[in-house]
Amino acid sequence: MIELHIWPVVVLGILIALNIAVIVVQKDDFKLKKYLRIQATAWTTLMSMIVFTGATIMAFYHLNFTIKIIAMIVAFVAMSSLEIRRHLLIKKSRPGQECFANVRKKVLRYYVMQALWMLMIGGFATLT
């Protein structure tokens, strides 16, 4: 059961790293905006899988709300709020304009913060 929870987390980490690489490498603003809007579906699917498997594990093993679980819930809320802000920023942006460079920087910052959340929770979850 734990493997069903860990694999979407690993894939989400890979997706975040891939998105950071795409933002740095992709110079065409139109292609970047299209890619980021499409991959939002994958991000949402993975986060849904993580929440569903986490809730199932809690129910199956009769786990109480420990500090680890509360930290994971806080991380989910923080990462979701960053993703919503990123999605709205991309949705409102206009590729090809000078201000898109600022959008690119903010989106990159949001993904770096998401990666840091994943690393913090991953490191914290291994502690007993």
Side-chain angles (χ1 to χ4, degrees):
M1 182 66 96
I2 297 292
E3 291 84 20
L4 291 175
H5 185 68
I6 291 174
W7 281 108
V9 173
V10 170
V11 173
L12 183 64
I14 292 169
L15 180 66
I16 290 172
L18 180 67
N19 290 341
I20 291 171
V22 167
I23 290 171
V24 171
V25 172
Q26 181 62 262
K27 299 303 178 198
D28 186 6
D29 295 341
F30 292 101
K31 288 181 181 179
L32 179 63
K33 181 177 179 175
K34 184 178 179 181
Y35 169 78
L36 290 176
R37 297 233 16 224
I38 290 171
Q39 69 77 35
T41 306
W43 193 95
T44 305
T45 303
L46 288 169
M47 284 303 280
S48 299
M49 289 172 64
I50 292 168
V51 168
F52 178 74
T53 57
T56 305
I57 290 169
M58 278 187 64
F60 185 73
Y61 289 120
H62 303 289
L63 296 175
N64 296 326
F65 281 100
T66 62
I67 297 296
K68 287 184 199 180
I69 293 173
I70 292 171
M72 288 180 196
I73 292 170
V74 168
F76 168 75
V77 171
M79 289 178 65
S80 295
S81 67
L82 288 171
E83 185 66 16
I84 290 168
R85 291 179 69 176
R86 184 211 57 84
H87 183 72
L88 291 175
L89 186 66
I90 288 293
K91 186 177 180 180
K92 293 178 184 177
S93 67
R94 301 282 179 230
Q97 297 178 352
E98 293 177 13
C99 64
F100 198 78
N102 293 334
V103 170
R104 186 184 289 262
K105 289 178 187 175
K106 283 184 181 180
V107 168
L108 183 61
R109 188 176 330 136
Y110 290 155
Y111 278 126
V112 168
M113 289 188 330
Q114 285 182 357
L116 290 175
W117 270 106
M118 292 218 28
L119 289 174
M120 287 187 317
I121 294 303
F124 186 67
T126 59
L127 299 175
T128 55

